[in-house]
Amino acid sequence: MGTKINVVYATAQGELEFDPTLQALGADGEEYWELRVTDLVPLPAGATLFYLPGRSPLGIDAGGEVETITEQGITAVAAILPQGYTRLFLPAYQREPDAPRLPLFGYTAVAFKDDQLWVAAHRTDELNKWDPKFFNTPELSDLIQEKLAQAPQNRILKQLAHCAKEYHCFTAQNIFYGRWEGGIPVSPVCNAQCLGCISKQVAECCPSPQGRIKFAPTPEEVVEIALPHLSGDEAMVSFGQGCEGEPLMAGTVIKEAITRLRQKTQAGTVNINTNAGLPDVLEELAIAGLNTARISLFSADPEYYRFYHQPQG
């Protein structure tokens, strides 16, 4: 007999249980696959478990048939993984007709084996700077208040405080910790309507996990945050965050901010996360002193690219 990998579910009281009679499944598109030992790693430190309302867990019974757990109040369970892990399967469930839509998170299949929880994923990167143990620390609240007191009129800083506390955003928190990659949102608008946008769902198909900024920052606000941050430990300031649109749409502000920053310091790295839909603007930023760029690309196939990104204009 092979190793038992059992279905995990949440009770109506929010407690986790497992079904010893059902083998765990993972979803891949519209197909379900029996989870194997080679698909799994122990639930990583810093992972977050979610119950999925209106979704009944699926498993395989002793006869090899897919079975749905239909008891009242029982729901499927998923994990959201920390950085450095690549998920292999989505959670397997049967969606009820009136099930609420889920926020756009990276849901991963969860299973029970050898008296512990496992997830359908592999560790693919050693990203120690994103280890959850370095974030949401007891001193964070005081650091936020201290930084806000230094720049009480800075709207970006107020937004970052919100992101750090409410969304637990690591790049926002890094601004207050004074280290590593710190995010600086600058654009309330976008030149695309990506299906998986996490800050604004035009069609309201599902809840956005973050709210997009509603103001246009000034170069002065950017420099006020970025200049001291660039003197920190392995520092990077990064435009193009989850709480904004396309940063190249604010190219004039970014260019002026980079110019002022590089007149005062050559320390640290200035980065942008972008869809690169305005290549001329990106080139101008590179000339001004932008060091690195991460470009999001759903597909190199024009049809699939347009289907997902839905470029505007």
Side-chain angles (χ1 to χ4, degrees), residues 197-268:
C197 181
I198 62 173
S199 68
K200 187 175 183 179
Q201 283 293 318
V202 177
E204 294 300 327
C205 71
C206 42
S208 299
Q210 300 183 27
R212 182 176 295 181
I213 62 172
K214 294 182 171 61
F215 61 92
T218 65
E220 291 78 13
E221 288 176 301
V222 174
V223 173
E224 187 175 31
I225 297 171
L227 185 59
H229 189 80
L230 287 173
S231 64
D233 182 27
E234 298 183 60
M236 171 190 288
V237 292
S238 193
F239 304 105
Q241 301 302 304
C243 62
E244 66 175 308
E246 168 52 45
L248 291 179
M249 300 287 283
T252 301
V253 171
I254 297 176
K255 180 181 178 180
E256 178 62 25
I258 292 176
T259 300
R260 296 186 190 184
L261 286 170
R262 287 317 186 200
Q263 287 173 347
K264 296 178 180 295
T265 181
Q266 295 300 312

Side-chain angles (χ1 to χ4, degrees), residues 77-143:
V77 171
I80 295 180
L81 305 175
Q83 284 90 336
Y85 289 85
T86 299
R87 60 178 170 164
L88 303 181
F89 290 99
L90 299 168
Y93 55 75
Q94 179 66 47
R95 187 179 186 275
E96 299 170 8
D98 59 347
R101 289 169 173 165
L102 299 175
L104 292 171
F105 292 129
Y107 301 104
T108 303
V110 180
F112 184 83
K113 180 178 79 74
D114 299 334
D115 296 324
Q116 64 175 315
L117 294 174
W118 299 68
V119 291
H122 284 166
R123 182 71 182 260
T124 50
D125 288 293
E126 295 295 332
L127 300 176
N128 293 328
K129 289 179 183 175
W130 302 109
D131 192 315
K133 70 182 179 183
F134 296 125
F135 299 89
N136 298 299
T137 58
E139 68 270 21
L140 177 61
S141 181
D142 289 341
L143 292 173

Side-chain angles (χ1 to χ4, degrees), residues 3-6 23-27 32-40 60 88-90 109-112 118-120:
T3 302
K4 288 188 176 180
I5 303 173
N6 297 121
Q23 185 82 2
L25 290 172
Y32 301 118
W33 294 82
E34 186 174 348
L35 295 180
R36 304 164 299 174
V37 173
T38 53
D39 298 325
L40 303 174
I60 297 180
L88 303 181
F89 290 99
L90 299 168
V110 180
F112 184 83
W118 299 68
V119 291

Side-chain angles (χ1 to χ4, degrees), residues 301-312:
D301 183 297
E303 179 182 357
Y304 291 116
Y305 177 90
R306 287 191 294 269
F307 174 79
Y308 178 82
H309 289 285
Q310 300 186 67
Q312 306 295 301

Side-chain angles (χ1 to χ4, degrees), residues 9 21 31 46 55 57 63 105 148 152 218 290:
Y9 59 86
T21 68
E31 298 180 339
R55 291 156 175 84
F105 292 129
L148 288 173
T218 65
L290 181 73

Side-chain angles (χ1 to χ4, degrees), residues 147-193:
K147 185 79 75 172
L148 288 173
Q150 295 170 0
Q153 303 304 316
N154 194 304
R155 295 171 297 170
I156 303 176
L157 201 59
K158 293 177 182 178
Q159 174 69 31
L160 291 173
H162 176 76
C163 293
K165 293 184 293 185
E166 300 300 323
Y167 306 144
H168 304 284
C169 173
F170 287 0
T171 57
Q173 291 186 14
N174 276 339
I175 290 292
F176 301 101
Y177 287 123
R179 68 184 183 198
W180 308 341
E181 181 176 354
I184 300 182
V186 290
S187 178
V189 295
C190 195
N191 58 353
Q193 292 181 0

Side-chain angles (χ1 to χ4, degrees), residues 283-298:
E283 182 178 6
E284 290 180 10
L285 298 184
I287 294 172
L290 181 73
N291 300 113
T292 62
R294 302 186 187 106
I295 297 176
S296 58
L297 185 68
F298 177 79

